[in-house]
Amino acid sequence: MTGFDAVQLSYDEPLADSLHTRLARVLGGSVKRLHGVRGMRRAYRLTAELVDTDQFFLADGDFAIDPEFLTSSVEPLAAGVSMRVWRAVNPVNGLTYGYGGLKLIRTSALQEMGQAVDVLAALPGRVEFSQHTAGITLFNQTPFHAWKAGFRECSMLARGSEYGMTDASAQERIDAWKAGKDGDFADYASVGARDGIEFARTAARDPERFEALNDPSWLHRHFITLHGEQAVAG
């Protein structure tokens, strides 16, 4: 046991059930789950209602935690820190950074969250990025999920990181997403990255339109519009 509650936040990820079991095995105890809630901001806020601790682990539905992750060494968040993010390995482009990583998050910070397209960037207080890797983000489970990951991430990077990342660092990550050629459905992730850059070019200055990045129904329709029904099944 870690002393922290844990929640898996899933929506439609095919491997979410097995990854939830894996998360519970590594973290110990019971990992709670919030599944299928529409509205990303609403879903994140609701996770705070499931826990009894003032800080808790939060994992995406496609996060595969490293079985060797040392829960006993995890320190509580310091005063003024709203969230700690551990790195995750990207199976498509080889990057290892906070995208899709495990989080330790302050419950009250979620309840006081502001507005940002990258939802957790609107937490009050500082965000702490761990240099340790906690697992793999298995976003590339279907053509659509791989495309969506590249599309959303590169749209936000192209507009400008809401975490204060430098333009040079953002461009390095964009280039890696565009070039990624390994792993399942890697081509869809690369195409999604290019589509996301184009979306940012036309929508970045229109907050209402850019917010579509957090609408799963719109994302699926946009994918079908750009790449056709046959792309859904690969």
Side-chain angles (χ1 to χ4, degrees), residues 221-234:
R221 290 195 304 272
H222 194 53
F223 175 65
I224 297 299
T225 298
L226 293 177
H227 302 291
E229 289 282 356
Q230 70 276 10
V232 175

Side-chain angles (χ1 to χ4, degrees), residues 12-16 19 61-63 138-143 145-146 184-185:
D12 62 358
E13 302 86 353
L15 296 178
L19 294 178
D62 52 15
F63 175 71
L138 297 177
F139 61 82
N140 58 326
Q141 297 172 36
T142 71
H145 288 86
D184 294 339
F185 309 117

Side-chain angles (χ1 to χ4, degrees), residues 69-92:
F69 181 75
L70 295 176
T71 57
S72 60
S73 67
V74 175
E75 295 290 335
L77 300 174
V81 177
S82 59
M83 178 173 66
R84 180 183 304 137
V85 183
W86 283 268
R87 294 180 170 191
V89 175
N90 186 309
V92 165

Side-chain angles (χ1 to χ4, degrees), residues 31-110:
V31 174
K32 299 173 184 181
R33 184 173 178 188
L34 185 67
H35 179 74
V37 173
R38 288 186 177 273
M40 191 172 295
R41 193 169 289 106
R42 175 171 173 257
Y44 275 114
R45 285 199 174 111
L46 286 174
T47 63
E49 298 183 14
L50 299 180
V51 300
D52 299 312
T53 52
D54 61 4
Q55 300 175 25
F56 68 98
F57 287 111
L58 182 61
D60 295 336
D62 52 15
F63 175 71
I65 193 168
D66 183 343
E68 302 302 317
F69 181 75
L70 295 176
T71 57
S72 60
S73 67
V74 175
E75 295 290 335
L77 300 174
V81 177
S82 59
M83 178 173 66
R84 180 183 304 137
V85 183
W86 283 268
R87 294 180 170 191
V89 175
N90 186 309
V92 165
N93 56 41
L95 290 173
T96 301
Y97 67 113
Y99 177 81
L102 181 67
K103 301 161 185 71
L104 181 66
I105 194 163
R106 195 178 298 279
T107 307
S108 61
L110 274 177

Side-chain angles (χ1 to χ4, degrees), residues 175-203:
D175 291 343
W177 276 93
K178 287 165 57 180
K181 293 294 181 182
D182 297 320
D184 294 339
F185 309 117
D187 288 345
Y188 284 96
S190 297
V191 169
R194 296 173 191 277
D195 290 341
I197 294 164
E198 176 61 21
F199 177 72
R201 188 184 66 81
T202 60

Side-chain angles (χ1 to χ4, degrees), residues 4 30 46 123 126 139 146 207 219:
F4 303 111
S30 175
L46 286 174
L123 294 172
R126 294 187 291 111
F139 61 82
L219 287 164

